[in-house]
Amino acid sequence: LVETLQSGEFTVFAPTNAAFAQLPAGTLEAVLADKALLTDILTYHVVAGSVDAGTAKTLTSATMVNGKAVTIRTEGKKLFINDSRVVLADVKTSNGIVHVIDAVLLPQ
C-alpha cells in the first residue's frame, strides 16, 4: 500500500492487537495468503483526507479507499465505524490522522 498512501492526507482506522485476536480461527491466515483480499481489507480501513473525530461525528457514512462505504454513528460520546468502536481518536501523523478501533473492519 506504499504507493496508495505515499501522497496526500489520509485517515486510518487502525485495529488494536486485541481486535485481530477476536477474528475467527483461520481468518487471519486466510487473509494473509490472499493478496487481493488483504489489499481490500487494508484499504477498507483508510479514508482519503484528514478526518478528525469531531468531523466524523457529524457524518453517517464514508467511502473508504477501496471504494466501499462504512457507516458512522455516535452513541453518547462514543464513535462507531460499522460495529467497531473508536477507542483512541485523533492521533496526528505526518500525513493525516489515525483513529484506533476495537475490531477489524471486514468489507461486505
Side-chain angles (χ1 to χ4, degrees):
L1 296 179
V2 171
E3 189 174 304
T4 301
L5 301 176
Q6 69 185 8
S7 62
E9 290 193 339
F10 297 93
T11 301
V12 175
F13 296 94
T16 63
N17 288 341
F20 286 100
Q22 294 173 14
L23 290 171
T27 301
L28 188 55
E29 293 78 10
V31 169
L32 292 174
D34 184 337
K35 185 176 179 179
L37 179 59
L38 176 61
T39 299
D40 192 37
I41 290 172
L42 290 175
T43 55
Y44 192 60
H45 287 78
V46 180
V47 174
S50 188
V51 182
D52 64 23
T55 300
K57 288 180 179 182
T58 68
L59 304 173
T60 58
S61 66
T63 301
M64 309 309 269
V65 169
N66 71 353
K68 297 174 183 171
V70 294
T71 59
I72 301 172
R73 73 179 195 288
T74 57
E75 292 179 11
K77 293 184 179 185
K78 297 176 184 175
L79 176 63
F80 291 85
I81 308 302
N82 290 344
D83 293 325
S84 179
R85 186 171 62 91
V86 174
V87 295
L88 178 63
D90 296 336
V91 178
K92 306 287 187 202
T93 67
S94 62
N95 66 335
I97 295 177
V98 173
H99 302 293
V100 179
I101 56 177
D102 69 354
V104 177
L105 302 173
L106 298 174
Q108 304 295 340

